[in-house]
């Protein structure tokens, strides 16, 4: 998962939440501080989801990286990862709409009662549409990655030109 893309998407979500739910008017300084704290936390998440990719691409042998199976595997994992992330952005929007807060301990408490919560969510929100939109977004991003991984494999397979 691309850290810059994640940071962009998370920041856009924060901006959408800000304008959609118009919190009580804090000072400009408090608003900026809130956005910077959120960006700082998102930076850690971006690092956490990027680290396995960095390790894989840094440690995998070049012949693996050039393989079609590798390109397909990276594309599928990347697309599914983004589909999950897009889904979580939707969920976070609806969570904010309900609780006027980003994910917190209430979200964790919900995991303790999956049947009751699942039924409530299924009845209250367009779950199928959200899942389909998330999968579509993941597929679009996977297609972008398919071409990017091909270029990366080509670049890694060719020895660097010395001038």
């Amino acid at each position: 998962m691309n850290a810059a893309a994640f940071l962009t998407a998370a920041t856009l979500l924060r901006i959408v939440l800000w304008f959609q739910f118009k919190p009580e008017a804090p000072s400009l300084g408090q608003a900026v501080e809130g956005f910077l704290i959120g960006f700082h936390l998102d930076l850690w998440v971006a690092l956490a989801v990027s680290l396995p990719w960095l390790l894989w691409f840094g440690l995998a042998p070049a012949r693996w990286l050039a393989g079609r199976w590798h390109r397909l595997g990276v594309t599928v994992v990347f697309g599914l990862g983004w589909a999950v992330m897009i889904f979580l952005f939707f969920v976070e929007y609806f969570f904010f709409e309900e609780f006027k807060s980003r994910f917190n301990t209430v979200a964790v408490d919900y995991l303790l009662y999956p049947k009751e919560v699942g039924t409530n969510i299924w009845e209250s929100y367009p779950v199928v549409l959200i899942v389909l939109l998330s999968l579509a977004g993941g597929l679009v991003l996977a297609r972008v990655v398919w071409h990017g991984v091909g270029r990366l494999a080509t670049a890694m397979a060719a020895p660097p030109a010395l001038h």
Side-chain angles (χ1 to χ4, degrees):
M1 182 167 307
N2 184 317
F6 171 80
L7 288 171
T8 301
T11 300
L12 287 174
L13 175 64
R14 186 170 289 104
I15 291 168
V16 166
L17 292 174
W18 176 269
F19 285 107
Q20 181 69 29
F21 299 105
K22 297 178 182 60
E24 291 182 24
S27 70
L28 179 60
Q30 290 171 320
V32 170
E33 179 183 11
F35 271 86
L36 289 175
I37 289 170
F39 185 80
H40 175 256
L41 296 173
D42 291 339
L43 198 56
W44 282 105
V45 173
L47 177 63
V49 297
S50 296
L51 192 58
W53 291 105
L54 292 170
L55 289 172
W56 176 253
F57 281 105
L59 298 175
R63 69 179 190 284
W64 287 10
L65 297 176
R68 185 168 174 80
W69 67 270
H70 177 264
R71 188 175 179 188
L72 179 63
V74 166
T75 301
V76 168
V77 171
F78 188 92
L80 287 174
W82 263 105
V84 168
M85 196 61 64
I86 292 167
F87 180 78
L88 288 173
F89 287 147
F90 276 115
V91 170
E92 192 161 3
Y93 175 88
F94 289 118
F95 186 88
F96 196 94
E97 183 178 50
E98 180 80 19
F99 298 104
K100 303 299 182 249
S101 171
R102 301 289 297 263
F103 284 146
N104 57 26
T105 57
V106 172
V108 176
D109 290 344
Y110 267 25
L111 298 175
L112 300 174
Y113 305 100
K115 183 175 171 122
E116 296 83 356
V117 172
T119 301
N120 184 16
I121 289 171
W122 189 262
E123 292 171 354
S124 303
Y125 299 100
V127 176
V128 173
L129 177 62
I130 292 168
V131 169
L132 290 175
L133 289 172
S134 300
L135 288 172
L139 283 172
V140 167
L141 290 168
R143 183 162 171 82
V144 170
V145 167
W146 176 260
H147 296 293
V149 171
R151 286 192 302 274
L152 177 66
T154 301
M156 293 184 81
L162 300 176
H163 297 273

